Amino acid sequence: MDTICAFSSDSRELYKADIYRVLALPKNHIIHFRYKKKYVDDNLLNNPKKLKKQKVAIFFTHGNDLGTSGDNEFQHFSVRWASITTTEFSPETDVFHIYMKLGDFCNVQIDTGNSDEKKPPTKFFSKLNCTERSVENNWQSRILAIKDYFPKMTFFHLKSIGNGWRDKCIHYKNSKKSCHYSLTHGDRYILKLAVSNPDASDAKIEISDSSEEITINCINPFETSIQFDDHDIPISVKTLQVFKQASLLEFKPVKKNENADGYKGLGEYATNIEFNLNLSLKRPLVFGVFSTMAFWAVLLARPISSSAAWPSDCTLLIATLLFYVSSSSLFFWFNKK
């Protein structure tokens, strides 16, 4: 089959980190690849609008080490399917930007009849004849295929984020160039992870939150000595003091520092999940109900002279509604109680 192939190689750690994130990020998450114009197939570059929603196989290429001679033997390992959400060419930097929505993991072999001019190191984004295999096409098999070309680290895959009865959906923005999860303050969620320490190395994953509004309920840095395992990590969103707040949940691999105590981070492999933390709508509504009950308790308990008259029913109804809306809105918009 003719397949659009997006390659990332081992020429730089940042390119390898792209593959690490492709393995780590959840299904339907947006990944961003960048290529210089000369590395993109002309047939694809000339019709960028037709690329939208096209299926892509993401590959890791071993043998593109810039520090060695030019007669390297290249090995291509498929990692995951994706679909293109949007593309963009920047004439100022001569860079072609590709935004892709991640799909299932895959085992795709590049056929031998393809021209070398369409493959790395000549082209890194091109259409090639490929054959898809129905075996060894899960996350575990992809880790085993490429682990020897990466630092000895802990791999992970975020399978889903749920609140106990359903999984949270991913929301898209900026013309599907980025995405986020929406979480509610005061609620508890579960991160479902697949983790792998294939070489049983002394490595961990440090999990942190940029806003300090999320409590991560696990031993941090997180570690596993098992080659493959599944873990559920509970997280809780604190009570916010603002209506809405953005946050980044970072997963950063760390490994034992050989020359000193403690661990050192592999910062280029850090993987971020964006959260939008929102105030719950239910809380201000309930707060408004109890505030209105207090309003009526004071109203009924106040002393009334024998000659005084109650306001009309319509006036009382309007006053009650205004008090309820006011107290709920002050809680929701300004956290005023």
Side-chain angles (χ1 to χ4, degrees), residues 174-282:
N174 193 21
S175 300
K176 289 191 174 182
K177 293 181 181 179
S178 59
C179 58
H180 67 272
Y181 289 93
S182 292
L183 305 185
T184 303
H185 88 119
D187 285 358
R188 185 174 182 268
Y189 299 90
I190 300 294
L191 304 179
K192 291 188 174 293
L193 298 178
V195 293
S196 172
N197 190 352
D199 297 311
S201 60
D202 192 0
K204 302 181 180 183
I205 296 178
E206 185 177 82
I207 308 175
S208 60
D209 162 49
S210 63
S211 66
E212 299 184 352
E213 297 293 343
I214 296 177
T215 302
I216 303 163
N217 300 312
C218 72
I219 298 175
N220 206 356
F222 173 80
E223 65 177 322
T224 180
S225 58
I226 303 175
Q227 192 174 28
F228 291 96
D229 201 1
D230 296 282
H231 280 275
D232 291 350
I233 298 179
I235 63 172
S236 301
V237 183
K238 300 177 183 178
T239 300
L240 301 179
Q241 302 301 316
V242 293
F243 168 63
K244 181 183 291 186
Q245 185 171 346
S247 178
L248 287 177
L249 190 67
E250 182 183 71
F251 299 83
K252 183 170 68 175
V254 296
K255 63 180 183 179
K256 187 72 173 179
N257 195 336
E258 298 178 357
N259 299 322
D261 294 334
Y263 288 79
K264 64 177 181 179
L266 301 173
E268 58 271 23
Y269 290 89
T271 302
N272 295 315
I273 304 293
E274 184 178 351
F275 290 147
N276 273 358
L277 311 179
N278 303 303
L279 284 172
S280 170
L281 181 60
K282 179 176 68 175

Side-chain angles (χ1 to χ4, degrees), residues 15-33:
Y15 299 157
K16 293 164 67 174
D18 284 338
I19 296 298
Y20 182 87
R21 283 186 276 272
V22 168
L23 288 163
L25 290 169
K27 191 173 182 178
N28 295 324
H29 201 282
I30 299 294
I31 193 79
H32 178 199
F33 276 23

Side-chain angles (χ1 to χ4, degrees), residues 121-139:
T122 305
K123 299 294 181 182
F124 284 85
F125 187 71
S126 61
K127 181 174 285 190
L128 301 171
N129 292 321
C130 300
T131 300
E132 183 179 7
R133 296 186 175 180
S134 59
V135 296
E136 297 184 350
N137 58 355
N138 60 3
W139 181 74

